[in-house]
Amino acid sequence: TIYVSALNAARGDGTIRVKWYYGTQLLSDREKGVSFKGAGATEFNISSASGFPPGDYSVEVFVNGASIGSRKFNVSK
């Protein structure tokens, strides 16, 4: 299982969406509605029963439809 958390610094409502990629192949696209009374975090994860093949991956996070950033990572044996 691979995890990512989207952190917010203040109160607010909205939708957080996360897209996971293996190279350029979309693996997962999930979203959650959120409502915070202060700072907080929203967790997303992706799992594979057979494990993740070695290679380059990335995850991109969106808030209310706008990309707020992406991170690349590598899975190796």
Side-chain angles (χ1 to χ4, degrees), residues 8 10-16 32-42 64:
N8 66 291
R11 150 181 249 164
D13 300 319
T15 301
I16 299 176
K32 294 180 182 179
V34 295
S35 180
F36 290 101
K37 294 181 180 178
T42 304
N64 296 329

Side-chain angles (χ1 to χ4, degrees), residues 2-71:
I2 302 170
Y3 297 90
V4 65
S5 292
L7 305 176
N8 66 291
R11 150 181 249 164
D13 300 319
T15 301
I16 299 176
R17 182 178 191 173
V18 171
K19 292 184 178 184
W20 298 89
Y21 295 91
Y22 173 52
T24 58
Q25 178 186 354
L26 180 65
L27 297 177
S28 178
D29 183 351
R30 296 186 185 152
E31 69 178 30
K32 294 180 182 179
V34 295
S35 180
F36 290 101
K37 294 181 180 178
T42 304
E43 180 268 338
F44 290 85
N45 66 72
I46 188 170
S47 297
S48 173
S50 60
F52 293 95
D56 295 324
Y57 292 78
S58 63
V59 60
E60 186 171 12
V61 179
F62 299 81
V63 174
N64 296 329
S67 177
I68 60 165
S70 63
R71 294 291 185 267

